[in-house]
Amino acid sequence: MNMMQRWNRKRPHVHFPFPFPFPFHFFAIILLVFIGCSVLFNESRIQEIHHDPDHLPLQPDSFVKPNLGSRSNELLDRFIRCNSTKEYSGKKIQWVDPKPKLGRRRDSLERCDVFSGKWVFDNKSYPLHHEAHCPYMSDQLACHKHGRVDLGYQYWRWQPHNCNLKRWNVTEMWEKLRGKRLMFVGDSLNRGQWISMVCMLQSVIPADKRSMSPNAPLTIFRAEEYNATVEFLWAPLLVDSNSDDPVNHRLDERIIRPDSVLKHSAKWEHADILVFNTYLWWRQGPVKLLWSDEEHHHQHQHRTCEELNGLGAMELAMGAWADWVQSKAHEKRVFFVTMSPTHLWSREWEPGSEGNCYNEQRPIEQEGYWGSGSDLPTMRMVDKILGRLGSKVSVLNITQLSEYRKDGHPSIYRKFWETLSPEQLSKPSTYSDCIHWCLPGVPDVWNELLFHFL
């Protein structure tokens, strides 16, 4: 029943104690109702737009189909600069495939949630490799070599609550990789997982049957016997950016091409198994956007960049990445590793303290613990995008299990490329690395999860 019908039904019972004639009164009531409804509708619409930016009235040209740019476009490198900057235009990445969804995400097909559990001390089965025995170990992650004497961080096993994680078997893993290319794509945390995997695998390959290419954007470990490679591609923001040099990437401003992964996908598209990550670099302030069509329009003479916060820019980049997965990742296994948490403020697990991960020697035992090193809005955004990709992506949800491991970071036990001041040296927490992870350690478990799902 509409509003007018309800009004008519009740009309005989309404009395009007006003001096003016009925027709005028009738139209006055109608006018007041109309004005009231209009005001309420507009207020609710304003609130809706304010709370949900996806409902902003975008024009048709506000949607950008990604990964269509010519590879002859000017590459973004560390010397690229924006001539001017303007506000974000509101463009969105249009990557949604109109076809029906391809089924549930692979991680939800598991009868047991291997990502929910606790850490158990196990000095019989762990560590899964030895720091000193791996010729490919990174000085950034070799904590024992750089002075750490409490080695308890090496002996923790992840135990899911209602089932068991498949136990690591190096020969079985090599058989899974026979004739294949396994490639890790992302930032230094993903590089740490790649080094972990190489160290876990290399021990059974004779020295003259294995090789490692020099450090470059794409670094390749080869095992002749299995005709297999384990590779790492430096792409910290997934999309093309001015930070894609694996060594010289400390820049004042981050510039990305939010609608293109073409520079990186030209390398990763040949892999059989892909393990992606991105997160940390989006938390370092605003990001400059240089759209492919904008650059072409100005013919590289005047680069006008847009500026957007890290979360918004990451969502655009994830959209361009998802477009590639949706349209190109046929016959491939694609994994996405969720964010790796940091432990920068000890007051979060020990109220009243003023430190960080320095001198921490045991995991956090509080189940369900979350610190500010894990950004929940980012997690929700990533989950939404991965959900739309359905079964095309397997999710390695390492965030919660890594949250417990405040003891697993290099802290001060790593190689330093910069000279530390006496003031810094007097306060170890000021130069502790509470972002990366010691090896052997937490990333080995991430690779056990990868092994479990392969």
Side-chain angles (χ1 to χ4, degrees):
M1 186 184 299
N2 63 30
M3 184 181 293
M4 186 58 73
Q5 287 174 319
R6 287 200 302 270
W7 190 88
N8 282 333
R9 174 173 288 185
K10 293 179 180 179
R11 189 175 56 176
H13 303 287
V14 178
H15 301 282
F16 304 106
F18 298 107
F20 39 74
F22 175 76
F24 179 83
H25 183 218
F26 174 80
F27 288 115
I29 292 291
I30 291 295
L31 182 62
L32 288 171
V33 169
F34 175 78
I35 292 172
C37 289
S38 298
V39 170
L40 288 172
F41 174 81
N42 286 329
E43 282 186 354
S44 65
R45 183 62 178 154
I46 289 168
Q47 287 182 338
E48 178 184 332
I49 290 172
H50 178 72
H51 290 299
D52 188 354
D54 288 339
H55 283 89
L56 287 170
L58 294 172
Q59 301 302 316
D61 60 357
S62 294
F63 293 97
V64 178
K65 183 66 179 156
N67 303 316
L68 296 177
S70 166
R71 291 188 191 211
S72 63
N73 272 5
E74 178 186 27
L75 290 178
L76 300 186
D77 59 31
R78 62 194 178 97
F79 303 107
I80 289 283
R81 294 290 181 271
C82 297
N83 299 108
S84 61
T85 303
K86 61 182 180 180
E87 289 186 11
Y88 171 51
S89 62
K91 291 180 183 178
K92 301 279 186 181
I93 299 293
Q94 185 181 19
W95 63 271
V96 179
D97 192 327
K99 295 176 184 176
K101 286 187 176 181
L102 298 169
R104 292 176 297 168
R105 259 187 5 213
R106 279 187 172 138
D107 61 348
S108 64
L109 299 178
E110 286 283 309
R111 284 179 294 178
C112 170
D113 182 4
V114 295
F115 306 118
S116 176
K118 63 181 180 180
W119 289 95
V120 177
F121 192 79
D122 180 353
N123 58 4
K124 294 181 180 177
S125 306
Y126 289 77
L128 298 176
H129 60 97
H130 295 280
E131 179 188 301
H133 299 166
C134 181
Y136 312 107
M137 180 61 67
S138 164
D139 272 333
Q140 189 176 28
L141 311 174
C143 301
H144 181 44
K145 174 183 174 182
H146 289 92
R148 185 163 180 174
V149 293
D150 62 291
L151 301 183
Y153 67 90
Q154 299 185 1
Y155 300 114
W156 293 93
R157 170 171 54 85
W158 178 247
Q159 178 59 57
H161 282 315
N162 300 311
C163 57
N164 290 315
L165 194 60
K166 185 172 181 177
R167 301 306 291 268
W168 172 258
N169 184 303
V170 62
T171 307
E172 185 180 347
M173 184 62 176
W174 273 122
E175 288 301 334
K176 291 176 185 290
L177 296 179
R178 186 181 288 278
K180 292 185 169 66
R181 294 178 64 177
L182 165 62
M183 187 184 293
F184 293 82
V185 181
D187 58 23
S188 58
L189 289 156
N190 211 10
R191 181 166 55 200
Q193 187 177 352
W194 166 71
I195 293 170
S196 160
M197 179 63 82
V198 169
C199 289
M200 289 164 71
L201 287 171
Q202 60 86 30
S203 61
V204 297
I205 308 295
D208 61 340
K209 299 292 185 182
R210 66 185 188 226
S211 63
M212 179 76 82
S213 67
N215 183 40
L218 181 62
T219 311
I220 303 172
F221 174 78
R222 286 186 173 83
E224 283 183 32
E225 180 182 347
Y226 291 93
N227 185 30
T229 61
V230 183
E231 311 177 24
F232 173 69
L233 177 63
W234 174 260
L237 300 161
L238 292 184
V239 289
D240 305 353
S241 81
N242 68 339
S243 305
D244 294 333
D245 187 306
V247 178
N248 299 307
H249 46 248
R250 294 191 176 186
L251 304 169
D252 292 334
E253 62 178 14
R254 306 285 178 204
I255 304 174
I256 65 168
R257 183 168 291 124
D259 55 341
S260 176
V261 300
L262 295 177
K263 177 170 56 173
H264 301 311
S265 65
K267 298 182 178 73
W268 79 46
E269 66 189 5
H270 303 295
D272 303 286
I273 306 165
L274 285 160
V275 183
F276 292 95
N277 94 315
T278 189
Y279 166 57
L280 198 63
W281 284 43
W282 301 104
R283 290 173 66 84
Q284 299 178 8
V287 179
K288 301 290 178 67
L289 316 177
L290 189 61
W291 297 90
S292 297
D293 59 347
E294 190 81 10
E295 183 188 21
H296 178 73
H297 177 72
H298 290 291
Q299 298 181 336
H300 318 323
Q301 293 173 4
H302 184 89
R303 299 185 195 90
T304 300
C305 299
E306 297 176 4
E307 188 170 87
L308 185 57
N309 62 55
L311 175 59
M314 180 178 174
E315 184 169 10
L316 294 175
M318 288 287 294
W321 168 81
D323 173 74
W324 183 89
V325 173
Q326 190 86 294
S327 56
K328 303 286 187 183
H330 309 301
E331 307 300 321
K332 296 182 188 298
R333 283 301 303 273
V334 178
F335 293 87
F336 188 87
V337 182
T338 62
M339 67 179 67
S340 171
T342 59
H343 293 91
L344 301 174
W345 297 280
S346 63
R347 61 178 178 268
E348 294 180 345
W349 61 84
E350 187 183 342
S353 62
E354 289 299 326
N356 51 23
C357 71
Y358 172 67
N359 218 21
E360 294 290 344
Q361 298 181 13
R362 290 186 62 83
I364 294 167
E365 295 179 2
Q366 175 194 339
E367 185 162 354
Y369 167 83
W370 287 109
S372 59
S374 295
D375 184 61
L376 294 177
T378 301
M379 293 166 73
R380 285 192 287 269
M381 178 273 291
V382 169
D383 189 63
K384 180 177 73 172
I385 288 178
L386 296 177
R388 285 159 68 186
L389 285 169
S391 60
K392 288 204 167 188
V393 175
S394 297
V395 183
L396 296 184
N397 188 359
I398 59 116
T399 308
Q400 179 78 82
L401 64 92
S402 304
E403 270 280 16
Y404 301 132
R405 292 302 305 276
K406 60 181 169 60
D407 61 309
H409 298 285
S411 180
I412 64 172
Y413 304 109
R414 61 185 178 94
K415 181 177 179 179
F416 289 91
W417 284 269
E418 67 278 4
T419 303
L420 298 171
S421 68
E423 185 181 1
Q424 285 178 307
L425 290 170
S426 69
K427 298 178 181 177
S429 62
T430 62
Y431 62 95
S432 286
D433 179 352
C434 299
I435 295 173
H436 301 95
W437 302 94
C438 295
L439 291 178
V442 174
D444 303 335
V445 175
W446 303 350
N447 283 321
E448 283 188 283
L449 289 164
L450 178 61
F451 175 67
H452 179 91
F453 283 98
L454 275 176

